[in-house]
Amino acid sequence: MLPDGWRWLSDYASGDERLVIGLISGTSADGVDAALVNIIGGEPERVEAIAFLTLPYPDEIREAVLRVSHDGDVGMLCQLNFALGEKFAEAAMQVIEIAGLSMRQVHLIGSHGQTVRHLPSGGGTLQIGEPGVIAYRTGVPVVSHFRGKDIAAGGQGAPLVPLVDWLFLRHARKSRLALNIGGIANITVLPAKATLEEVFAFDTGPGNMLIDGAVRHFSGGTQAFDRDGTWAKQGRVDRHLLDWLMSHPFLRQPPPKSTGREMFGAAFLQEVLSRAEHRDMAPCDVIATLAAWTAESIADAVRRFVTSKVGQVDEIILSGGGANNPTLMAMLWERLKPADLRRSDEIGIPADGKEAIAFAVLAHRTVMGLAGNLPSATGASMTVILGSLTLP
C-alpha cells in the first residue's frame, strides 16, 4: 500500500478536475490575494476562475513586513513568518467561504508568500508565510517556495508568471503584451503564434509602489493608495523630476531583470520627496509625476526592449492594482497607442487576481511534475520544477 503522501499525489495526478487556491502578497504588502480556480485536464491546462478576494493586512502586520524588508532582525522575521502563515490560511478559508464550498473539496494550495528581500544580483530571495501553518489550518497540501529552484539554476527567481501568461494569453494572430502593474510593473511579451521559446518577460520598474508610498505620506497614513487616480489627476507633472527619475540605471538594464522594494522602497521614496520639496512641489504634483514615471518607464521598456525585437504590439492585456487607476491608464494609453489596451477581465482572468491564479496553476504544475519557470524571463540555465510540497 502507498504511504498517505504518495497516495494523495497519485489521486491528484489521475484526476480530471482539481480545485486549487492560489495565494500571494505582492511588493505593495497591503494584503493577501486569494484565488480559487478549477484546473481541468492535463497539459495544456484549462482554468476556470471561481472566486477571488483580497484579505487586507492589519496595520501592524503591514508595518512589520515593511520594517523587516529593510532592517528587521531575525527574531522579528521568525515571528512574522508564522503570523503571515495565519493570514494566508485565513485568506484561503475566506475565499472558499465566498465560493460556497468546503475546504474538504480543495485539492491543493499554491502559496507564493510575502517577499521580504529580493536580491537577484546576489543570487538570493526570501518569501515568508509559513506553509506548515497554512497546511495545518486548512488541511490541504501546500506548494510554496517557488523561486528558489530557479535561482539554483542560475535565474533571478522572477518573474514566474510569464509561463502562465503564455498558457492563457497567447494569440494566433495578435502580438500581445501581458502588463501587470502591482507594486512593481512587469511585462510578458507574447508574439503572435509564440512558441514557449519566443516568449520573454522582465520587470520594467516601479508600478504602484512609489505612488502608494507618496499617498500615505501626504495623507498622514489615512489613505493607502490613489483611489481612482484622483491625486494624480489634480496634479501637474514636473518635467525636471520626471527626467531625473527616467535616468535611473535600472531602466536601461537589458532583460532578464527583476527588482523590488530593495531598489524602489522607502529610501528611494525619501529621495524623491526631498527633491520634490526642494522644487516646492504640491503633493498632487508629486503623485502625478510618479504616475507619469510608471507610465513612461513602461513605455520606454516597450520601445527599448520589445518593439525593436518583435515589431508592433497589437494588444496590451492589463492586470494588477494599477489597472484600476484611470489617470495612470490614460497616461499609458497616450504613450502606447495605437496598441489596444484591454483589462484581463475581458478574456476571463480577473485583473486583480491574475497573479494569485498564476500561483494556483504553478502549484498544479509542480505536483504534476511539470516545469514552472521560463528561462527567457528569469535567466535560468534550464526549465525546472518549482517549489516545495507541505502535506497537512
Side-chain angles (χ1 to χ4, degrees):
M1 178 179 290
L2 288 171
D4 286 346
W6 289 111
R7 188 165 59 247
W8 173 83
L9 282 170
S10 176
D11 290 345
Y12 185 96
S14 62
D16 292 325
E17 298 187 18
R18 301 93 167 174
L19 288 176
V20 184
I21 296 172
L23 303 170
I24 183 172
S25 180
T27 49
S28 294
D30 48 11
V32 184
D33 292 339
L36 174 65
V37 300
N38 186 24
I39 300 180
I40 304 166
E43 191 177 13
E45 304 89 338
R46 184 159 62 89
V47 177
E48 296 175 345
I50 298 173
F52 170 78
L53 64 78
T54 297
L55 177 66
Y57 283 155
D59 289 344
E60 62 272 18
I61 290 286
R62 184 176 191 277
E63 290 168 6
V65 169
L66 298 181
R67 190 160 62 249
V68 82
S69 296
H70 293 285
D71 57 7
D73 61 24
V74 175
M76 177 188 296
L77 183 66
C78 290
Q79 291 176 330
L80 185 59
N81 180 43
F82 279 80
L84 287 177
E86 298 286 358
K87 297 305 293 184
F88 275 67
E90 183 181 347
M93 290 185 283
Q94 286 194 15
V95 80
I96 284 297
E97 184 178 349
I98 67 171
L101 299 173
S102 163
M103 192 62 73
R104 291 189 299 273
Q105 297 172 268
V106 178
H107 297 88
L108 182 66
I109 293 173
S111 178
H112 169 274
Q114 172 71 65
T115 297
V116 292
R117 198 67 57 92
H118 183 63
L119 305 170
S121 60
T125 190
L126 181 62
Q127 290 73 43
I128 62 173
E130 177 55 47
V133 173
I134 303 171
Y136 183 79
R137 297 292 181 218
T138 63
V140 177
V142 177
V143 177
S144 61
H145 302 303
F146 287 91
R147 301 193 182 276
K149 190 82 166 287
D150 181 84
I151 290 179
Q156 297 197 5
L160 293 182
V161 176
L163 176 61
V164 180
D165 287 334
W166 177 78
L167 285 170
F168 303 121
L169 297 179
R170 70 187 188 273
H171 196 279
R173 299 181 306 278
K174 296 179 180 179
S175 176
R176 284 176 163 173
L177 295 185
L179 170 59
N180 186 79
I181 307 178
I184 296 296
N186 53 73
I187 57 176
T188 302
V189 184
L190 301 162
K193 297 185 294 187
T195 64
L196 193 53
E197 292 71 26
E198 293 173 316
V199 177
F200 63 101
F202 56 96
D203 288 351
T204 63
N208 304 313
M209 182 184 297
L210 292 164
I211 301 170
D212 294 350
V215 169
R216 285 191 180 91
H217 172 78
F218 290 122
S219 70
T222 62
Q223 297 180 45
F225 62 98
D226 188 9
R227 186 180 298 275
D228 298 325
T230 302
W231 287 70
K233 185 176 182 180
Q234 295 173 354
R236 296 178 61 183
V237 174
D238 183 280
R239 190 72 237 182
H240 185 275
L241 180 58
L242 180 59
D243 287 344
W244 175 76
L245 291 165
M246 286 299 299
S247 71
H248 196 286
F250 180 82
L251 306 187
R252 298 186 297 277
Q253 179 184 329
K257 59 179 180 176
S258 58
T259 189
R261 192 169 292 281
E262 299 73 25
M263 185 173 289
F264 296 114
F268 189 82
L269 176 61
Q270 286 304 311
E271 175 68 15
V272 172
L273 295 175
S274 176
R275 287 174 177 267
E277 184 177 8
H278 181 73
R279 293 186 58 75
D280 198 27
M281 292 173 61
C284 286
D285 296 342
V286 178
I287 294 167
T289 303
L290 289 171
W293 186 35
T294 294
E296 184 59 34
S297 59
I298 292 169
D300 179 71
V302 172
R303 291 189 297 266
R304 190 185 297 266
F305 303 120
V306 179
T307 55
S308 60
K309 185 173 182 178
V310 303
Q312 181 62 47
V313 173
D314 298 310
E315 288 185 341
I316 298 174
I317 310 299
L318 295 160
S319 60
N324 301 320
N325 183 329
T327 306
L328 177 57
M329 292 302 99
M331 291 177 171
L332 268 175
W333 162 242
E334 185 62 34
R335 290 162 172 81
L336 293 172
K337 62 185 180 184
D340 185 21
L341 269 65
R342 303 175 62 191
R343 288 176 60 95
S344 61
D345 306 74
E346 298 179 37
I347 50 180
I349 301 174
D352 292 328
K354 193 185 87 165
E355 292 209 327
I357 291 171
F359 281 95
V361 174
L362 290 174
H364 164 78
R365 291 180 68 85
T366 296
V367 174
M368 297 297 287
L370 301 171
N373 67 329
L374 191 60
S376 58
T378 67
S381 61
M382 60 185 292
T383 59
V384 291
I385 299 170
L386 302 175
S388 303
L389 177 64
T390 303
L391 296 175

